[in-house]
Structures are given as C-alpha cells and as structure tokens.
Amino acid sequence: MIVIGDYDPRWPERFEYLRRRLAPHVVDLAVSIEHVGSTAVPGCAAKPIIDIDVVVAEGVVVPELISRLTGQGYRHEGDLGIPGREAFQAPSGVLEHHLYGVVAGSRPYLDHILLRDYLRQRPDEVRRYSALKAALAQRFRADREGRQGYSTGKGALVEELMAKSSAARAAGRP
C-alpha cells in the first residue's frame, strides 16, 4: 500500500532545512528554491516526501546546476519524461526529498507553482484532492506498478486543478 498521510505541520521546517543545505551550493545559479508539491500545501494529504524546485533564470546554467548537485551526492535522473525539468535522487542519509532543476517561467516550473498557490487558497479543493489520494493509496501497492496506477488515477483531477490554476492566474487571482 502506498503511504499517504495527513498534512504534517513539520513539512515546511523540513523544506527549510533542505533549502539551507542546498543554498550555498547553488546561490549564484538559483533565483529561488521553492517548496512545491502536496507537502507545500497546508492541510493536504501527501506522501511524506518534500518536493523542491531549484529555479534558475536560464537553461544555459542547467549543466552547471547538474554538476554542482551531483558533486553534493545527488544522482541526476534526467527529465523523467517531463521536458524542461531535471530530476535528482537525494543522497543516502539525507532527509527524503525529490529535487528538481527548472527554469523560471518554464511549463514544469509554472505547473508546480501555480498548482501549489491555487491549492493554498482553496481548502475545498485540497479536501477533494486529499480524499482521492487517500482512496488511491488504499487501492495500490507501493511497488513500481502500483505507483504508476496511483499517478494515473489522480491524473485527471491534477489536470483539472492545473487548468483551474492557469485560469485563475489569467484572471489575476492566485
């Protein structure tokens, strides 16, 4: 079974710890280090894994970002099927997290930020999303096939929420 838990108020503190750990190594490359994903949304059920975007201004610095992060023990995993986003596996012994390198203004960056900000303003949508995630977690095992089924199962709602977040942004609302 996939482990989905209730929102943990310690998640922002864990993000901040990881941000402080990363910052010295990317300070001259990154325009920001963002807490994204469900753990960044108060009240949202989630897997207890912090998602982090290291945001750079231009794609030209991504190879240097990759070099620096791999030098800190991260394993570069490529884009994992999402062009414009570079994924990294955390070093062993470090608080579990997913790390991504993204370019400011890119589709992967906007998808993360707009959805996060949209959900932060809409507790009703957070409850709806959390309920679906909890139900799917009960249905699927924590193996590769189960994680794929879980992701596919929440895909339609995520797409709907992302469309709503884009529409809200276009209308000048968070």
Side-chain angles (χ1 to χ4, degrees):
M1 180 170 34
I2 294 174
V3 176
I4 298 291
D6 291 337
Y7 179 78
D8 186 333
R10 294 174 297 181
W11 288 338
E13 295 166 17
R14 291 180 180 157
F15 161 74
E16 188 56 32
Y17 164 79
L18 292 165
R19 188 196 65 73
R20 283 192 312 268
R21 188 178 181 279
L22 283 165
H25 308 288
V26 299
V27 68
D28 60 326
L29 298 178
V31 294
S32 65
I33 300 173
E34 299 280 346
H35 187 186
V36 296
S38 295
T39 62
V41 178
C44 194
K47 290 178 278 191
I49 302 169
I50 306 299
D51 290 333
I52 300 171
D53 279 355
V54 175
V55 184
V56 296
E58 300 176 293
V60 70
V61 301
V62 170
E64 178 63 20
L65 178 67
I66 292 168
S67 175
R68 290 187 191 183
L69 292 173
T70 57
Q72 293 303 308
Y74 285 89
R75 191 180 87 211
H76 182 227
E77 297 180 304
D79 68 12
L80 299 180
I82 300 177
R85 182 192 80 176
E86 297 298 323
F88 298 86
Q89 185 176 60
S92 61
V94 177
L95 184 65
E96 190 172 10
H97 61 287
H98 293 152
L99 182 65
Y100 305 101
V102 296
V103 176
S106 68
R107 184 83 248 160
Y109 168 75
L110 291 173
D111 285 350
H112 284 169
I113 298 303
L114 294 178
L115 182 59
R116 176 199 68 192
D117 293 351
Y118 179 80
L119 288 172
R120 283 179 172 175
Q121 299 298 315
R122 292 166 180 84
D124 55 326
E125 296 282 32
V126 171
R127 284 189 293 277
R128 184 172 161 226
Y129 186 37
S130 294
L132 175 64
K133 289 167 59 169
L136 290 169
Q138 294 293 320
R139 276 183 51 202
F140 294 103
R141 295 170 50 98
D143 57 15
R144 182 182 171 145
E145 189 175 300
R147 286 188 299 274
Q148 182 60 43
Y150 171 83
S151 292
T152 300
K154 67 179 189 166
L157 180 56
V158 169
E159 289 298 320
E160 176 192 327
L161 293 171
M162 286 173 43
K164 287 179 175 181
S165 70
S166 291
R169 179 180 185 233
R173 299 184 317 266

